[in-house]
Amino acid sequence: MTHNKKTVLDPFGTTIVEDYERLYEEFGIKPFKPLLDQMPNPSMLMRRGVIFGHRDFERVLDAIRNREKFAVMSGIKPTGEFHLGTLMTAREIIYFQQHGATAFYCIADVEAYEDNKIPFERSERIAVGNVADLLALGFDVKRGYIYRQMREQRVKDLAIVFGRGVTLAMMKAIYGERHIGLYLSALIQAGDILLPQLEEFNGPKPTVVPVGVDQDAHLRLCRDLAFKFRRKYKFVLPSSTYHKIMKGLDGSPKMSKREPMSYFTLREKPGSITKKISNAFTGGRPTIKEQRELGGVPEICCIYEMCMYHFMENDQDMINLYHDCKTGKILCGEDKERTVKIVLDFVKEHQRKRRKYMGQAREILKIG
């Protein structure tokens, strides 16, 4: 069947991608797979095709291989606790930091206000936990910069300058018709992405932005602005990597805070996490007999996807799980039980580390 409907990548709404291959043609995103062999020690997400696309990653790859300066920049909208989607981006930032990047992590409190109506006082409280999560995962504060948009004057100054480089028609073409506050937050995010390239941060330099593909609009806008203002700032066009969007545990196309059974947070209680995983959508057959005879369908299974994205580091273990599912060797109940144990062990240890970093997280948000 031929799909004629164009994919919409909406950073302020719900993005559903039926075919990631189409994004190469529709948006000019390049496939990541041809670069995989050139990447020293590729991450788990790269190896498994979860990171599927990029823009101008070659210059970052060159910097990694030649041990030249580069930066990684991404962040979080402080609307709630860390979940599996924010966990993915955080791990990507830490991965690039471990490969030599100076890491910039933005608390997008302006976007949280403009998009989610969250007051700055509340987003600051939420951000403390978010930063503690980041530190618990291994973010090195000695080679990184964590900041709030509202308090970073250089980001806001860049946004003001960039305002002369856009028109209302241009913003509508990229984001659709939105209230002015969202257009403002998009300009501020362009400031975030290009902040590492200012002279006070030893810029300009290659910068990679690891994000879910639904955020590509921000990269397209920012790259256009970097080109327009290259004479003034000598910007290098920012690079990006794109990971696939995780399905909700309930089988929905994307995890959503409006659907509590579609996700769990890293602060959730063990009983709640167990319940959500136990009730998660799988690719299993209606009966045990059919599962043994026909095998399951891991391609549509949320448990399989969760293990592939987060909780099964060894590639051979993933291959074995795929084979066991396809051949009916493992039942969905057995797979869920095993996954519950892996997840709870991780969450318990993560929460222990997180508590240790809460004081430091408060201090970081106070002074930057």
Side-chain angles (χ1 to χ4, degrees), residues 36-49:
L36 193 59
D37 291 341
Q38 304 172 49
M39 185 71 198
N41 189 26
S43 71
M44 180 176 77
L45 298 177
M46 293 173 179
R47 297 193 309 266
R48 296 176 183 176

Side-chain angles (χ1 to χ4, degrees), residues 24-307:
Y24 303 139
E25 180 180 347
E26 291 183 4
F27 294 93
I29 294 171
K30 295 181 181 178
F32 191 87
K33 188 175 181 180
L35 301 181
L36 193 59
D37 291 341
Q38 304 172 49
M39 185 71 198
N41 189 26
S43 71
M44 180 176 77
L45 298 177
M46 293 173 179
R47 297 193 309 266
R48 296 176 183 176
V50 178
I51 294 176
F52 72 94
H54 74 96
R55 291 190 190 276
D56 280 349
F57 186 73
E58 293 90 348
R59 63 167 57 100
V60 174
L61 183 56
D62 287 342
I64 293 173
R65 292 187 301 188
N66 298 325
R67 298 187 177 182
E68 297 171 348
K69 65 180 182 180
F70 76 104
V72 59
M73 190 281 142
S74 199
I76 186 171
K77 186 165 60 168
T79 59
E81 302 291 348
F82 253 49
H83 51 76
L84 296 182
T86 46
L87 173 63
M88 185 154 39
T89 304
R91 281 175 162 167
E92 290 176 67
I93 294 169
I94 292 166
Y95 168 84
F96 284 114
Q97 188 182 50
Q98 291 171 344
H99 281 71
T102 304
F104 290 73
Y105 193 75
C106 163
I107 304 299
D109 52 1
V110 173
E111 185 183 3
Y113 173 76
E114 299 292 358
D115 192 21
N116 303 91
K117 302 179 183 179
I118 295 181
F120 292 104
E121 298 81 10
R122 183 182 166 204
S123 63
E124 182 177 15
R125 291 194 297 271
I126 294 171
V128 172
N130 294 162
V131 172
D133 282 312
L134 183 71
L135 300 179
L137 290 167
F139 185 93
D140 184 355
V141 292
K142 294 179 181 178
R143 294 191 296 116
Y145 179 46
I146 302 170
Y147 67 93
R148 292 174 57 196
Q149 285 176 328
M150 193 60 183
R151 287 197 174 171
E152 179 45 80
Q153 189 61 46
R154 287 164 292 200
V155 165
K156 292 186 284 187
D157 288 346
L158 284 171
I160 292 169
V161 172
F162 294 160
R164 286 189 59 84
V166 298
T167 64
L168 182 59
M170 178 180 172
M171 297 301 275
K172 282 185 177 180
I174 296 173
Y175 296 104
E177 187 164 345
R178 308 283 186 171
H179 65 77
I180 296 299
L182 284 181
Y183 294 155
L184 172 63
S185 75
L187 290 175
I188 287 176
Q189 286 197 56
D192 291 324
I193 294 169
L194 293 171
L195 179 68
Q197 298 202 42
L198 296 182
E199 288 185 7
E200 49 263 59
F201 293 110
N202 298 313
K205 56 179 174 286
T207 302
V208 60
V209 185
V211 288
V213 72
D214 56 336
Q215 301 298 304
D216 180 56
H218 295 318
L219 270 300
R220 283 182 274 128
L221 172 65
C222 185
R223 283 167 59 85
D224 185 78
L225 291 169
F227 182 79
K228 287 180 178 178
F229 291 93
R230 68 193 183 284
R231 287 188 179 180
K232 179 177 175 63
Y233 294 99
K234 299 181 175 60
F235 287 137
V236 178
L237 263 64
S239 306
S240 51
T241 60
Y242 300 107
H243 58 248
K244 294 178 179 177
I245 299 169
M246 283 195 74
K247 294 192 290 286
L249 294 176
D250 57 356
S252 55
K254 182 181 180 181
M255 291 183 176
S256 170
K257 292 179 181 178
R258 291 186 292 271
E259 298 293 339
M261 290 301 287
S262 76
Y263 76 103
F264 60 83
T265 75
L266 300 191
R267 283 203 70 199
E268 213 154 315
K269 293 181 179 179
S272 177
I273 294 175
T274 299
K275 178 181 178 182
K276 291 179 179 182
I277 294 176
S278 298
N279 285 282
F281 178 83
T282 70
R285 306 293 178 176
T287 66
I288 294 177
K289 183 174 183 294
E290 288 180 88
Q291 180 83 357
R292 295 296 192 197
E293 291 177 353
L294 301 174
V297 187
E299 291 85 355
I300 64 171
C301 178
C302 298
I303 301 299
Y304 179 83
E305 182 179 83
M306 186 166 57
C307 290

Side-chain angles (χ1 to χ4, degrees), residues 329-368:
K329 185 177 179 180
I330 189 171
L331 301 176
C332 295
E334 297 169 336
D335 193 18
K336 287 179 175 180
E337 186 176 345
R338 178 192 52 78
T339 302
V340 164
K341 184 180 186 310
I342 293 171
V343 172
L344 292 185
D345 286 348
F346 168 79
V347 170
K348 180 181 179 181
E349 177 63 12
H350 178 78
Q351 290 180 358
R352 183 190 69 79
K353 293 178 181 177
R354 183 185 189 273
R355 288 191 293 271
K356 186 175 72 171
Y357 285 113
M358 287 295 286
Q360 187 177 1
R362 290 190 186 93
E363 191 67 19
I364 288 171
L365 289 171
K366 186 180 299 183
I367 65 175

